[in-house]
Amino acid sequence: MSSSVKKILAVAVFASLGACVTSPPKNVDNICDIFDEKDGWYDDAKKASKRWGTPIAVNMAFIHQESRFVAKAKPPRKKYLGFIPGPRKSSSYGYSQAKDETWDWYKDKAPHWGADREDFDDAIDFIAWYNYLSHKKLGIAQNDAYRLYLAYHEGMGGYSRGTYKKKGWLTGVARKVQTRASKYQTQLNKCEKRLNSGWWFF
C-alpha cells in the first residue's frame, strides 16, 4: 500500500471518529431549542424523570451548570508556574461531571452497568437518580434545584454536615441552577405538548 493511500485512509478514519462526537446544542439557554436540535434527548430526559421523579427542567439545569452539554467535559488542569500543565483537579467527566467512584456506584446501585458518561441518556439518568437519592435520604423536594444542587456538589454527607454554608460561591452557583431550572420549566411548558406529539418545527 502506498504512503499516499495510507494517508487518505488515516484521514478518513479520523474524520469518521470525529463525526461520532456529539457537539453541544447551539442554544443552551432554551430547553425547547435544545430538544428540537438534539434528536432523542427529550425522550431520554422524559424517561429519566419518569423513572426517578425529578423534573426534566431540574436535571437539564444540572447538566447546563456542570458541562454546558459538552459530552467529554473535564475539569481544568492545575498550572505550575502559571503555565505548566499539571494534573486535573478531579476525575469528574462527561455531561454530568460525575467522578469515577460515584459513577461506579451508580452503575452498581441503579443498576446500569453499561452506562457511559459521554452518553446523554446515561448522564441525565445518573443526575435524576442522584437527585432521587438526595430526596429520599435528605428529604429535599425533587423540584428544589437549589438544595438538590448543593447535595450534588457536596455529596449527601457533606450536605448533612452543612459544608456548603462556608462556601458563598457555591450557594451562588446553586441559586443560578435554581433560576435556570425555573426558566427551563417555563420554556418547557410552552413546547412539551408539541414534543410529546412528535411534531418538530425548524
Side-chain angles (χ1 to χ4, degrees):
M1 184 182 296
S2 68
S3 59
S4 59
V5 173
K6 288 180 180 179
K7 288 180 181 178
I8 293 171
L9 289 175
V11 169
V13 169
F14 282 118
S16 63
L17 289 174
C20 295
V21 177
T22 301
S23 60
K26 293 182 178 66
N27 183 11
V28 298
D29 292 324
N30 189 298
I31 198 171
C32 297
D33 289 352
I34 292 171
F35 288 144
D36 282 342
E37 179 183 347
K38 297 298 182 181
D39 185 36
W41 278 23
Y42 173 70
D43 290 337
D44 294 334
K46 182 180 178 182
K47 180 176 66 176
S49 177
K50 185 175 181 180
R51 184 181 185 192
W52 301 112
T54 310
I56 291 173
V58 172
N59 298 326
M60 291 290 285
F62 273 48
I63 293 185
H64 180 282
Q65 178 58 43
E66 293 300 287
S67 67
R68 298 297 192 277
F69 300 94
V70 175
K72 297 178 180 287
K74 297 178 182 179
R77 292 184 181 275
K78 293 181 180 179
K79 294 291 182 66
Y80 297 115
L81 302 178
F83 66 94
I84 301 173
R88 297 189 187 279
K89 295 179 180 180
S90 76
S91 61
S92 301
Y93 184 71
Y95 288 111
S96 65
Q97 288 296 282
K99 296 180 180 178
D100 292 346
E101 59 272 21
T102 311
W103 192 258
D104 289 341
W105 180 40
Y106 160 69
K107 291 195 294 183
D108 181 43
K109 299 298 182 183
H112 201 154
W113 275 105
D116 189 325
R117 283 176 286 183
E118 296 177 14
D119 289 344
F120 175 82
D121 58 336
D122 295 333
I124 199 161
D125 189 77
F126 166 80
I127 289 173
W129 169 79
Y130 198 97
N131 286 336
Y132 166 79
L133 292 185
S134 295
H135 165 67
K136 295 294 288 185
K137 295 185 177 183
L138 302 174
I140 303 173
Q142 288 185 286
N143 63 348
D144 187 346
Y146 175 78
R147 290 177 177 80
L148 286 174
Y149 186 77
L150 292 175
Y152 187 83
H153 189 277
E154 297 295 274
M156 283 172 264
Y159 180 88
S160 296
R161 295 191 301 272
T163 55
Y164 60 89
K165 294 177 181 178
K166 296 182 179 180
K167 300 178 180 179
W169 64 269
L170 176 58
T171 55
V173 171
R175 283 192 291 271
K176 286 172 59 179
V177 173
Q178 176 69 71
T179 298
R180 182 162 299 279
S182 297
K183 179 180 178 180
Y184 273 174
Q185 186 59 61
T186 298
Q187 293 167 344
L188 189 60
N189 290 342
K190 298 177 181 179
C191 66
E192 193 161 23
K193 183 177 180 180
R194 171 173 60 78
L195 292 171
N196 280 318
S197 73
W199 287 92
W200 305 85
F201 299 95
F202 299 96

